[in-house]
Amino acid sequence: MKKYTRILVAITFLLGLGVAAKAEIRPQIVVRLPFEFVVSKSTLPAGTYVVERISNQPFDVLLITSSDHRASVFVRPSEMEGAPTDKPHVTFHKVGGEHFLSAIQTEDYVYNFPVSHSVTLEAAAKPSGTTPVSGSGGGK
């Protein structure tokens, strides 16, 4: 009887580890950007980037990491909303010749980022646009 109890405890333990390991997988998106861009007062070069949450809390800091240039930046969204579609992408406001990150859409949420007041004034003086860039979703 002790043998069966040990086997049952071992199976329960292993199943528990599997659930805990699954909880650690955080959604991420991969985007390839053909231009440099500004986020959190940092200018990042063109290249491939991975965007992921650093915790399991949806409204928390996101990490944007370049696999090409070993550059990364932490960003905190100003607001968050449910994603209208499951197609991940990032959105930029183009001001002059610069691209400013304004939103990241994952499969679950849209994270919005403020563009500074001075950038908004500059945008009012110059023609601007919005450039969406698609990415691929996946987990690690």
Side-chain angles (χ1 to χ4, degrees):
M1 186 70 163
K2 286 185 181 184
K3 182 178 180 180
Y4 292 114
T5 304
R6 286 182 186 172
I7 291 173
L8 183 60
V9 168
I11 290 173
T12 304
F13 177 74
L14 291 175
L15 288 175
L17 284 178
V19 170
K22 185 174 180 172
E24 290 298 316
I25 296 173
R26 294 184 191 106
Q28 59 179 224
I29 63 171
V30 177
V31 292
R32 288 167 189 79
L33 301 174
F35 49 80
E36 68 178 22
F37 65 100
V38 178
V39 59
S40 293
K41 299 180 182 179
S42 299
T43 300
L44 298 175
T48 302
Y49 288 86
V50 174
V51 179
E52 61 187 324
R53 290 194 318 246
I54 62 169
S55 77
N56 289 330
Q57 300 299 316
F59 193 67
D60 204 353
V61 175
L62 299 174
L63 176 62
I64 301 173
T65 306
S66 167
S67 57
D68 301 331
H69 305 285
R70 296 189 178 154
S72 62
V73 64
F74 292 100
V75 292
R76 180 177 297 280
S78 61
E79 62 183 25
M80 181 185 85
E81 57 193 83
T85 66
D86 64 348
K87 185 175 181 185
H89 67 273
V90 292
T91 305
F92 297 88
H93 286 296
K94 187 174 179 184
V95 179
E98 294 184 286
H99 294 85
F100 293 84
L101 179 68
S102 60
I104 297 173
Q105 179 176 322
T106 64
E107 291 181 3
D108 301 325
Y109 301 103
V110 177
Y111 299 93
N112 295 305
F113 302 94
V115 178
S116 73
H117 184 65
S118 61
V119 170
T120 305
L121 291 175
E122 186 178 344
K126 295 180 182 179
S128 65
T130 301
T131 307
V133 178
S134 294
S136 61
K140 241 181 176 173

